[in-house]
Amino acid sequence: MSPDLRGLADLDRVIHEPARLVIATILSVAESADFLFLQRETGLTKGNLSFHLTKLEEAGYAAIEKTYKGKIPLTLARLTPAGLKAYKDYRASVKTLFEK
Amino acid sequence: MSPDLRGLADLDRVIHEPARLVIATILSVAESADFLFLQRETGLTKGNLSFHLTKLEEAGYAAIEKTYKGKIPLTLARLTPAGLKAYKDYRASVKTLFEK
DNA sequence: CGAAAGTGGTTTGTATAACAAACCTGTTTG
DNA sequence: CAAACAGGTTTGTTATACAAACCACTTTCG
């Protein structure tokens, strides 16, 4: 029937998690986004957003830059090339699965 | 920017799990499939396949019919109307998310 | 000036989850 | 009779998300 649905089930769990999927989707479009913007867009609590950004960073998928806007902390997140690739691969996998 | 990514992150976790997503995809096409066929297609162990089918059944998304082919047990699974709807809704949600 | 609220987190506790592996019953086949 | 197959259930481990509490610093408001 199908080449291998087995392989397709093998989705990247880092991206697969809905919270991170939304974050990755935003970052794939937005280039760079600050912490509060992400929090408002995703509806996540600070703790969870922080947690998921750390996960993305640990996976090498996101770069977190902590700067200051004047004296207020400003945290910027963006996808790394690896992160963008992982995101695109994920989308391609899902697309393939849905073509069945 | 977007209407509400918050809502989109709200994917149906029952369907979202990759193992069940693959099962649901197969069932959405195949009408009905027996246990061993599903096991071979998904690459899951018996225990896990059983577990996920039970989850789908508990959610009201799958109907499990235990019959006999002669004297050999034959377990058939198919999606319920609610299951097909949930699957289609899931696909629509993902599609919407990916259109950003 | 003092309190509140905003920024950007870390830590902790809890509940859920998947998954592998072991175990089980019954049946057919060699 | 032994082995293998069909179709599971149960158990134990590990990872996970998520909420909520806590913390430090800064700006703003009354």
Side-chain angles (χ1 to χ4, degrees):
Chain A
M1 163 176 271
S2 52
D4 52 334
L5 282 165
R6 269 182 270 348
L8 291 173
D10 231 359
L11 296 169
D12 186 334
R13 295 283 185 153
V14 174
I15 301 288
H16 187 63
E17 172 60 30
R20 292 190 293 264
L21 183 55
V22 170
I23 293 171
T25 299
I26 293 171
L27 293 182
S28 75
V29 170
E31 294 283 310
S32 167
D34 64 80
F35 193 92
L36 282 192
F37 173 77
L38 285 174
Q39 198 191 338
R40 272 188 284 265
E41 288 295 313
T42 60
L44 294 168
T45 61
K46 287 181 295 183
N48 283 337
L49 178 54
S50 176
F51 173 78
H52 290 301
L53 286 178
T54 301
K55 281 276 167 187
L56 288 169
E57 191 178 25
E58 281 171 357
Y61 290 174
I64 312 299
E65 191 187 352
K66 300 189 183 190
T67 60
Y68 284 87
K69 181 174 53 184
K71 289 199 179 164
I72 305 173
L74 179 69
T75 298
L76 294 174
R78 59 189 167 74
L79 287 185
T80 61
L84 187 58
K85 180 180 185 316
Y87 178 70
K88 288 189 171 173
D89 286 352
Y90 176 86
R91 283 182 66 145
S93 292
V94 172
K95 194 154 170 277
T96 303
L97 178 64
F98 282 176
E99 272 165 6
K100 296 294 153 205
Chain B
M1 163 176 272
S2 51
D4 52 334
L5 281 165
R6 268 182 270 346
L8 290 172
D10 232 357
L11 296 169
D12 186 334
R13 294 283 185 154
V14 174
I15 302 288
H16 187 63
E17 172 59 31
R20 292 190 294 264
L21 183 55
V22 170
I23 294 171
T25 300
I26 292 171
L27 294 181
S28 75
V29 170
E31 293 284 311
S32 166
D34 64 78
F35 193 92
L36 282 192
F37 173 76
L38 285 174
Q39 198 191 337
R40 272 187 285 266
E41 287 294 313
T42 59
L44 294 168
T45 61
K46 287 181 295 182
N48 283 336
L49 178 54
S50 175
F51 173 78
H52 289 301
L53 286 177
T54 301
K55 281 276 166 188
L56 288 169
E57 192 179 24
E58 282 172 356
Y61 290 174
I64 311 299
E65 191 186 353
K66 299 188 184 191
T67 61
Y68 285 87
K69 181 174 54 183
K71 292 199 177 164
I72 304 173
L74 179 68
T75 297
L76 293 174
R78 60 190 167 73
L79 287 185
T80 61
L84 188 58
K85 180 181 186 315
Y87 178 70
K88 287 188 172 173
D89 286 352
Y90 176 86
R91 283 182 65 146
S93 292
V94 171
K95 194 154 170 276
T96 303
L97 178 64
F98 282 176
E99 271 164 5
K100 296 293 155 206

